[in-house]
Amino acid sequence: MAKSAADPDPRSAYQSVDPFIGTGGEGHTFPGAVAPFGMVQLSPDTDTTCTVRDCYGHAAGYRYDDPTIQGFSHTHFSGAGHSDLGDFLIMPVSGDTVKLEPGSGDDPASGYRSRFSHDSEVAQPGYYAVTLSDYGVRAEMTAGTRIGIHRYTFPADKAAHLVFDLRTSLYNYPGKTLWSSIRLRDDRTITGCRQTRGWAPDRKLCFAMRFSAPLSAHRFVSTEQDVTYKGFQGPGRGTDAVEAKQGRALVAQLDFGTLTKPLEVKVAISSVDEAGALNNLYAETGDFDAIRDETRTAWTKALGRVKIDAPAAMRTNLYTALYHSLIAPSVAGDADGRYRGPDNEVHQADGFTFRSTFSLWDTFRAEQPLMTLIQPEKVNNEIIESLLASQQDSPFGILPVWQFQGRETWTMIGYHAVPIIADAYLKGIGGFDADKALDAMVASATYGPYGDLKDYMAMGYVPIDHEPEAASKTVEYAYDDWTIARMAEKLGKDDIAARFYKRAGYWRNSFDPKTGFVRARKSNGDFRTPFDPTAINYGSDYTEGNAWQYSWFVPQDQAALFQAMGGDAAVVKKLDQMFEFDNSKLDYSHAEDIAGLIGQYIHGNEPSHHVAYLYDYAGAPWKTQNRLKQIVDTQYKPTPDGLSGNDDLGQMSAWLMFTALGFYPVTPGSLQYAIGRPFVDKAVVSLPNGKDFTVTADNMDDAHPYVGSVTLNGKPLGRTYITQGEIMDGGRLHFTMQAAPNKQWGTAPAARPYSMSTAR
């Protein structure tokens, strides 16, 4: 009998993940091998020869529609809207001729790159494989916490070589590599470092590489000299080294003769030094298969925190979303606890593992709240300790903004490490010094290196004639300030709470009651003109968006915002206008990060992510349910182009995970989740306290898109929110779905998510 769409999917959670989702379109994910939150992301790069202006589509190194692979590098972002990394690229080459230039995708024979077929690819959590057709080499990758292991099966009748290229990067340009070095330690081991001036300035990264077979010869080449070493003068020799000069980089040809069994290449990295990379190399023992098994076990355990019963396509979408949400923040500290901080100095982590890759403007919304449910005992304490360590190490004394490998990029706006810390603390996640954390939060909201904070504190808004993106900054600062007030109040710091509750109301100073939009104001108090609520221009009034998206960002005080907009009916009408807006006469081709448009709702970028849930707050939850189905049906699918916009280190994925469970953290720090509608027949979330929270649904199909009724632990639930405490207590949230909207359920003012008033 044919399996119906509603039948349980027999695959395990691990088998249900498809790492190719998001590798096409603008998802910017990578298909390669990574352990949960691993330091190494070992993945194929299909084009690292593009320049900054045309590299947006290759932000993760791999793009599904590319026909060739240049090699396999060890560091990648998962779904970022900008890029860097692509460190230490290795390419296996067979035969008598070895070219040391990468060549082009149009003419792979001009260099060392190779064509490949998707039919030969395999991608699973912690494992990737492909056949390089031009060389007849089967390439396999796996990864541990701080290591990556390559396994190359060469043709038995051809000489085996590796090209090791320290010149290549993602988002490349002339002079990006400031210097690089390679050191031959023995006939199976090389080490070295390089420093790049990329997205994070003056970033140093070192490597240690160990081969399962001895080198027969090698060649280290820089643009200034070409030095060939043939053989060795005895075991243990470690003096063969060449270092490229400022603005130069190295490439190596590593020869192994003909091989009768696969070549394994174990690589560790460290942002500290070569000794740290060597220590990381030997800290994780085992060959390729052993590390692959360990990482598969780790992924099976991590993915098993949520057990999902849904149709096959949705189950694949959800387990892949869960997988993507567990890649970052990445381990960035060495096995001995050392790490490089934002001051570019080496520090020692005391009792925690230092983590980095913080895309905070994105992930404070849903990614980090998801971690508080499924990884709090292992991850969030370390995340917060890492944030606090970075604040202590920062030359400005503030929390990270957009950080990777310990280095700050100053990308995006706000001080969004603040709500992550507050949300975790208010949920009872301990393991860190709360008073110290509050001090760091206040410092970040007071002394940051932004000129606009001084104006914001003095004037109650950011003036557009002093700073760009002023409208967005004002409302985002106000929300962050509210979370400081919440945490200060919990700690009994009433003076701090009062000061930041007042600042949390500053959103009002950028709201224009005449137009009904949040707008940029000048220092004289006037709103800037001309005003077009649909205009999207980088560096203008808004950050990666326009007035339509940003006018809804007052999550700390939705009731007051709705009152300012004219009341519930006016809000519902305006929300409908947003989703139904005719964009046919608009051109957003100049704006890279604008994707997934439904009218003026932009699901491919984060400022819109909570908007569909706002119907709940206006007393029209059936409209939230309708919009969520519209978003899920059009923005997610189990294909390479299945993400409408870049995943932003798990935020797009976390949105789907929460939404499929039937609730969403509109306001992190409020301890509430707005109820939408589920997209699973059943899901069981295993909580760290040993309890389970179960979501079930009857009539879960396209013919029944609306919520008819909801029960919590068997009792009718008439409100459109649940609390953190109710989830952590375990129990069962049950939905009965129906064909027509239920316009009575959850509509009363007392049934709506509670909007914490900023009036004090």
Side-chain angles (χ1 to χ4, degrees), residues 613 616 621 624-625 628 662-664 674-678 707 720 735 745:
Y613 287 90
D616 277 3
T624 284
Q625 298 152 27
L628 292 177
F663 52 91
Y664 184 81
I675 291 177
R677 52 144 295 177
V707 173
T720 55
F735 294 83
W745 178 78

Side-chain angles (χ1 to χ4, degrees), residues 238-254:
T239 58
D240 283 355
V242 60
E243 180 170 315
K245 303 299 182 184
Q246 181 90 354
R248 301 288 188 261
L250 296 165
V251 61
Q253 176 181 328
L254 308 172

